[in-house]
Amino acid sequence: METGPFASLAQIRILLIPVGPIRRSAFEKYAGLVRSFGHIRLGDIPPDPREDKNRFIPSPLSSGHLHLSYITHPPPTWHNVFSLFRMSSFPLGFKATLVSLFPPDSPFPFASKCFAFEEGEGNVNLDLGPSIPELVYVGTLLAELCHDILAEFPALVSPTLVLSVNTDQWTKKGQVRTVESAEGMEAIMSRLLPAVSSTTFPSSSNSTNGLSRGGTGVGSHSGASTPQRFGITNAKKRASSVGPSNGRLSKIIGDLCLLAGKLGEANIWYTEAISLFRTQQDSIWNASALEGQCIIEVLEAWSAGDSLHTSLVGNALGDPWANISDKMGQAINLYSRATPTTPTPVPAADAEAASIVLLYTDAVLRYSRFLFSIWSSKGWNPLSISMMLTTGVPTTFLPTDHISMTLSQAHGPFLMHLQQPDQIRIFSTLASLYSCIGFKRKEALVLREVQAAIMDLIVCGRDEHRSNLGRESLSNESKIYLFDRDRDKDRDTGQSVSGALGVRETEDVEGNISIVRLAKCIAEVYGVDIACIRVMDVASEAPTTQGSHPIGPLEPTDMLTGRPHFGWPELQIGVVRETVAVAEALPDHASVVQFSLSTLKTLHKFLTANEQYHLYSVALRGISTLRRRGVNLRAEFWAEAPIVSIEVLPLPLPRLPSEHLRQHLEGHHSKRPSITLPGSPFLYHPAGKKAATSQECCALNFALYQLFILFCGVQVLVQNESIEFVVALRNPYMFDFDIQYLILSTSGIPFHTQPVSVVIPANSQHTLTLTGLALEPGTLIIRGCQLQLAGGIPREFLFPIVDGNRTSLEVSTMPKRNANSSPPQFSHYEVVPQQPLLRIRRSSLTMGALVLYDGEISKIHLTIENISTLPVDFYRLAFDDSTIGPAQQGLADGNLSVAEVYETEYDLVHRPCFQWDPPSQVVPIEPGNKTIITVSCFGKLGCTQGTIQLSYAHVDRPSGPSGIFHTRRITYPLNVTVYHTLECDNLDIIPFKTYANLPHLDTAAFADDRDRSALLGIDNADDYCLVSMDVSNLFGSPFQVSIERHQEDTPPASNTCLILPGSTRRFLLPIKRFTLSSEEVSKAIPTLSNRQFVVAKDRLTPKEELVQRDLFWYREKLFQTISGRWIEPETGRTGTLSLRGQRLSLPMRDALRKDLFPLDLIFQNTPRSLNLACSLVPPTLGEHALLEGSLTHNYVGSLNPTQSAQKSWRVCFMAEGVFEFRIDAVEVGEDGRPPPDREKQMTSSFVTAIVG
Amino acid sequence: MSHHLFLLSPTDTPLYMLTHLSTRSAGSSALPLSSNLPNWSTSAFAGTVAALSGASATGALVSGKTTPAVIGGGQDRHVVQMIANASLDAIEETVRINSGMYLRAADKFNEWTVSAFITPGNMKFVLLHDAKGDDSVKNFFLEVWELYVKTAMNPFYTAHTAIRSSVFDARVRGSAKKYL
């Protein structure tokens, strides 16, 4: 009993089955042709002259229609119980599309009235291809068929009709007669049934295609169903014992009239039946009669067509269908209250209950369908048209929840009474109606039942089939399919029972596919995208999937955003779990894989660890099963993007190449490395080193290097050297995640790397180091990673840079739009050509510690080995030590005076701690060779750390067109200890004359003044001055110190002395006085570095500045003249003694400077007069001398070069003693004042008089 | 006789669930046909059908292996949730016509009557009960609403946060005891 349209009760069913070998397409074509006749006008039915047959044949002029419906499967046998009750459910006609002599057969009671349609010419015509005339002809044939059917109706009714007349008052006999008449029918059947049995039929059913399978099934079941039918007839007999059965008879006649299109007559019979039932409490028959009345009403409305509104205008106040609703509601109510009449344990009662439930649900569905058709056509249509013509509001608004409420009546525990096929039919009808009114969630709920019911059948059928297998081997029965309507799912067990051989049938996967589709549909309603992971054939799809996910990591970020989850997680999980179970039971392994993996992807947040693991293992199992069966299906990458970051490990500093311009090569022979001061605008300067301790220096360098990478986004790598990548992986799942294959995905230059497989522990992050080799120089682009899971398709995950930042998962959520608009940017790495590699094989230092005395000069030898395959044809050294930093800092602060600045710079430039003289011809260090580099060191107080940097390169490449080359660097840190040994102090310069005129303490040794001068090699005392200084030994061992003089016109002289620990010695050395020209003296104090100019803080007056410069230049000249050296006699270590800590004062300068105009000052005894100005120094109290003449302002006049002048004073000594006179000659201007533009020149001369 | 209360967020996600077993007995309105159900099949899937059609509530059927150990409460709980979820269809349909917050018996399914209460923030309180909805259900809903509003005033609470407050739970249970 198909759930047909609302008016199915009024339709004559005609079963269309092919007979004989007919192609399916041909059958469907002609079946379609026949189906196009839904109605036949009563006028077209040929009249029948026979009296006993024409009771239901319409009169030729009657209006109205016969309604036909066509089915291709006979109804299930357990519906036979309705044969009397609901004739419309059974095919009353057979229509075969090929001429054949097949015995008119039917398993149904009324099938005896069936007409085996045989028409030779007509079918020949059909085979030739129908045209319009044939269409008409088919109509005629159908009409004849209908006529034949109708002609059989009286034969069915007449015994009962006669009976009804007779049994009005004699109920018991009537019953007997009814049974008798039923037995009469049985007799008719028994005449026909043998023809239908399975033994006669198989030849045609097996040869035809699947459409005829229903015939076999029915045939084989007919025997089994017979007792059932007897049971129900018995039940009916008992039910009818309550009252006379003429109500039922009226109803049957009404049914027949309805089928015959005699609506008026049917209505009369129904009304009569209802009035009889009212007293008899025969609820089911009553309800059925009510249903019949409703259908009559609808049919009348249908035939009235457009003129309907005129008939309904009268009751437009209420719903036009109120009458039908009332009756249907009544009918439903009656059905629902019906109870089985037999006690429950009897199996017949179950069948009866099933029948009642079937009728009940059918009525509910019929009513729902009625409401639904009103709703879906937006009201009672002709009426709404009439409403448009008149004023007023249409009253025909039908809310969908009304339909839903009605529908839900058909759903309940009572459904369990039904046979599964009926359940499925009702569930699917429910689902489709819910779906039509847009109640998706209800639809999903019902669909789950459909799915479960189907699966139940499959599983049970399979079990039964399996148990049958054993039985059949003995009994050789033909196999029985429990259900084989339009869903023959159990075929995919892949086994056949025909014979002892296991024959593998061609798998018909259509059923499986529809069940899987059902599952997907359900999951979709619950908001689970169960098919988001595609499972595909590798061979066909793999090449296309390579590039199909360009923005890999951006995709799963939806999961990370704060978007609320949609749906009911618990339900979703339940649905998914069921779906996976369904797919497993089918079994559809591909779907199992797809569903479980999709669930893991979308719902893993809500799954417990066990469920996650279960799904994962189910998927793995499915994949392995598929592979075992030779199906090469693979799942898409399903996990949430597991890669968190990809970072390149920066090269270690000794391997890091730095870029230089080739043109710098020309200047690299300069002796001294240039000093880079902190003011340098270049942040990263490979040649000049920052001042710091060597560790700090490395750390700082590294930090700078990272900064550099960050700013520029370009990292330098080297060809043919292993590059390390750190890949951070994340496993959000609660099981260990097995990545079978992980490889870096790069573009640009060829890159060689090995795939790895890794297992990420549950719910954790994992860091992985990958290595690779860049095979060519150029730009290496790291796009991301390719990952492959077990049984999956490899997928590339890209890591673009967003706004200059490296994309991590967190960052990439916001700029999704940007990423879509422009092609993604990836990390670029510059790979430079292969570089040589040197290492320090050994050095002359132990433990890298250098111990020096202050001022000591020593040498370090470094042995360098080339451990690469390229020669090193360029190298140079740069140095750093801990004194440079503070000095540069002091310079940068700018608080120093100009002279101090000079002193600091001199220290930096001329007295570096480390120094290397590059050889004039660099000999390339061939691969595997060694070379020795010698660095000279200078002990500088305060130096604690030093660094030697060796930069080297392979410059002379065959292919080097670009103007750049790369160097690498070895850094060799040194710990430096400098001991403070000698200290120089108390520099003084006095005129030699003073010294020469002193009285000799030992007159015996120095009889003559000349002797002392001669000893010192001084010819003219006026030309010399005497430099004296103290040198103290602060160290624990003796030092032999010598102070040396190097002057152009004098022989070298030195003063050497051994200074014992703790002692101080004074050194005296005569120096020939010299004069610097005024141009030399007035030069500005030079700066030695290319330091940025710093405005001096202290402003000097021009005069002060002149004095400063004068002192500066004389001091410089002095230090050029004398130098100090020392030697430690015990060890032979030598060094220099720095004098530069000494200051030069103005009197010292005067003593040093050669007189511009020498004064010759002598006393003459006769006459005792003195030349020039004379002052008594010091004028001591109590000692007096009389001086004749003016003491000051003795103007001599202008003197030309080589000219001399004389001036004399007279002195009279008034007391005894030693008198010392000093005469100052001062240069004056024209007006007797000193020249303003430069310092006045002054010469002093002393004379001592001893008055006895 | 049991009651099932669900507080559903606008995205259909349950924020709070309560199963309340009432001591009051209600007159069974079940159809006579619903008794003495036959057991056609013992397959796991038959259990699902039985459960979904409400048969397992009356007859003892094998619980399906398809839903092993549902979080917290067996197959019945899952079915009840499914019915509550499916009734949203009818509720949403009713809301379009009925502007009131309390929707009495908005849906019926199997033996359940579904009443709903829609807050202005589109939170849906769904109650599955077997008795006919009357004033007690309405009063219960009003009290739950008040409790919900108090919870929602918590600044750390959003419309999509599951309610885990024990105070809320205790009070809802209290009012369920009072009214249902």
Side-chain angles (χ1 to χ4, degrees), chain A residues 411 441-442 448 456 526, chain B residues 12 41 82 89 92 107 110:
Chain A
H411 192 275
R441 285 169 275 207
K442 291 230 189 258
R448 277 183 78 167
D456 184 27
Y526 282 99
Chain B
D12 285 7
S41 162
M82 289 201 63
D89 274 329
E92 279 167 10
D107 194 17
N110 290 355

Side-chain angles (χ1 to χ4, degrees), chain A residues 545-719:
Chain A
T545 51
Q546 285 293 327
S548 61
H549 305 287
I551 322 271
L554 295 181
E555 184 187 291
T557 54
D558 297 345
M559 300 291 287
L560 296 169
T561 55
R563 248 177 22 186
H565 179 81
F566 179 83
W568 194 313
E570 217 173 299
L571 283 183
Q572 288 173 337
I573 290 168
V575 164
V576 158
R577 204 188 291 121
E578 191 177 280
T579 309
V580 172
V582 164
E584 265 189 300
L586 275 177
D588 184 347
H589 296 290
S591 298
V592 168
V593 173
Q594 183 179 36
F595 294 165
S596 46
L597 293 184
S598 303
T599 309
L600 277 178
K601 178 174 183 177
T602 52
L603 282 179
H604 72 87
K605 277 189 289 184
F606 303 104
L607 292 168
T608 62
N610 272 341
E611 284 171 327
Q612 288 191 9
Y613 182 71
H614 170 72
L615 287 173
Y616 183 57
S617 50
V618 160
L620 289 188
R621 209 159 54 217
I623 287 170
S624 60
T625 311
L626 282 176
R627 197 168 297 160
R628 204 165 54 233
R629 298 203 174 159
V631 184
N632 204 6
L633 283 182
R634 276 164 181 271
E636 238 181 343
F637 193 90
W638 50 272
E640 232 175 84
I643 296 180
V644 179
S645 67
I646 302 177
E647 302 271 345
V648 172
L649 274 188
L651 288 177
L653 276 179
R655 285 180 177 268
L656 180 72
S658 54
E659 190 178 296
H660 301 275
L661 283 179
R662 216 165 248 277
Q663 63 204 31
H664 288 172
L665 271 180
E666 274 77 64
H668 83 273
H669 288 294
S670 64
K671 295 265 177 184
R672 279 186 293 266
S674 67
I675 295 174
T676 315
L677 296 172
S680 164
F682 303 104
L683 190 64
Y684 182 71
H685 202 291
K689 291 297 302 156
K690 295 282 136 201
T693 63
S694 58
Q695 281 88 358
E696 280 170 352
C697 169
C698 289
L700 185 69
N701 262 341
F702 195 72
L704 280 176
Y705 171 61
Q706 298 246 317
L707 267 177
F708 170 73
I709 291 166
L710 208 67
F711 281 132
C712 308
V714 175
Q715 207 166 332
V716 179
L717 304 172
V718 182
Q719 177 198 357

Side-chain angles (χ1 to χ4, degrees), chain A residues 61-77:
Chain A
L61 293 176
S62 62
S63 65
H65 293 79
L66 276 185
H67 300 270
L68 306 178
S69 71
Y70 304 91
I71 54 173
T72 47
H73 294 276
T77 49

